[in-house]
Amino acid sequence: MTDTRYTERVCNDIREHVITDNEQIFMPQIERMRKVGGKWNLVLRPMFSGYLFITSNEPKQLYERIHHALGKTIFKYVKLIRNDEYIIPLSPSDERIVTEMSDEKHVLRASLGYIKGDKLIVTDGPLQGHEGSVVKIDRHKRTAVIEAEFLGEMRHITVGLEVVKKIN
């Protein structure tokens, strides 16, 4: 079983056995194009492989409910930002990375843009206004790599970006 499928299974188990009505669990995903059998298809990939995110006003009780429902071994396989007693909430800046460019389904949709000289101009999608965070563009794969600080370290996140033209 792949890491993503295992994480999805754990996400569903937590949703079914732990999450209350005022909580939500999700795995942020990135939409991008992938060529399969000569045809381009939209696919979803995890934004942060192996991480699950839970909105809750009671992190200590949430940790206890997860531990009680699924056992202590679950923490060997799923990354939780925690200490021995409770799940540690994300900082406001880390929370923005997960939510700012994502839609209501926690998917960072593919963007559309063009290159003028050596400058990227995004005309549609969540990267619009965030062009300065793009560190690499792969026009062939229709992706871009953005750099963002998350959990105290700089991370490279591959996102969907179709560059429709290049103007010199």
Side-chain angles (χ1 to χ4, degrees):
M1 184 177 300
T2 65
D3 288 345
T4 300
R5 288 182 60 201
Y6 182 79
T7 305
E8 287 171 347
R9 192 171 107 202
V10 170
C11 184
N12 290 334
D13 286 348
I14 292 173
R15 184 178 292 116
E16 184 178 325
H17 300 291
V18 178
I19 297 297
T20 62
D21 289 340
N22 61 343
E23 296 172 326
Q24 183 182 24
I25 184 169
F26 59 95
M27 181 173 56
Q29 298 183 329
I30 295 171
E31 176 186 81
R32 53 194 254 199
M33 299 296 288
R34 181 165 181 181
K35 199 170 193 177
V36 179
K39 292 179 70 175
W40 286 99
N41 300 294
L42 278 176
V43 296
L44 295 177
R45 296 280 184 252
M47 185 181 296
F48 302 105
S49 185
Y51 282 90
L52 296 174
F53 295 81
I54 303 172
T55 59
S56 176
N57 293 325
E58 303 172 329
K60 187 170 185 174
Q61 292 84 351
L62 175 64
Y63 176 86
E64 291 168 359
R65 291 194 322 265
I66 292 172
H67 185 270
H68 178 73
L70 302 175
K72 199 170 191 171
T73 58
I74 193 69
F75 301 121
K76 291 181 183 177
Y77 304 105
V78 176
K79 298 171 186 138
L80 289 175
I81 305 162
R82 65 184 178 95
N83 65 18
D84 289 335
E85 296 179 24
Y86 61 93
I87 298 171
I88 299 171
L90 291 176
S91 70
S93 62
D94 288 343
E95 189 175 335
R96 274 193 304 278
I97 297 294
V98 175
T99 61
E100 188 177 86
M101 293 191 288
S102 301
D103 64 15
E104 67 281 349
K105 293 182 179 181
H106 307 287
V107 176
L108 194 155
R109 299 291 174 189
S111 294
L112 189 67
Y114 63 94
I115 296 174
K116 185 173 185 179
D118 62 351
K119 184 177 180 185
L120 171 66
I121 298 157
V122 178
T123 56
D124 188 39
L127 285 182
Q128 194 170 20
H130 298 277
E131 292 90 342
S133 64
V134 175
V135 294
K136 181 181 175 186
I137 297 171
D138 187 331
R139 291 183 69 194
H140 178 72
K141 291 184 178 180
R142 299 182 184 182
T143 61
V145 176
I146 60 173
E147 188 172 64
E149 185 174 339
F150 184 71
L151 300 177
E153 58 186 57
M154 292 307 288
R155 308 231 180 191
H156 287 155
I157 305 166
T158 302
V159 298
L161 172 67
E162 183 167 0
V163 176
V164 292
K165 63 183 172 181
K166 186 172 184 174
I167 304 168
N168 291 327

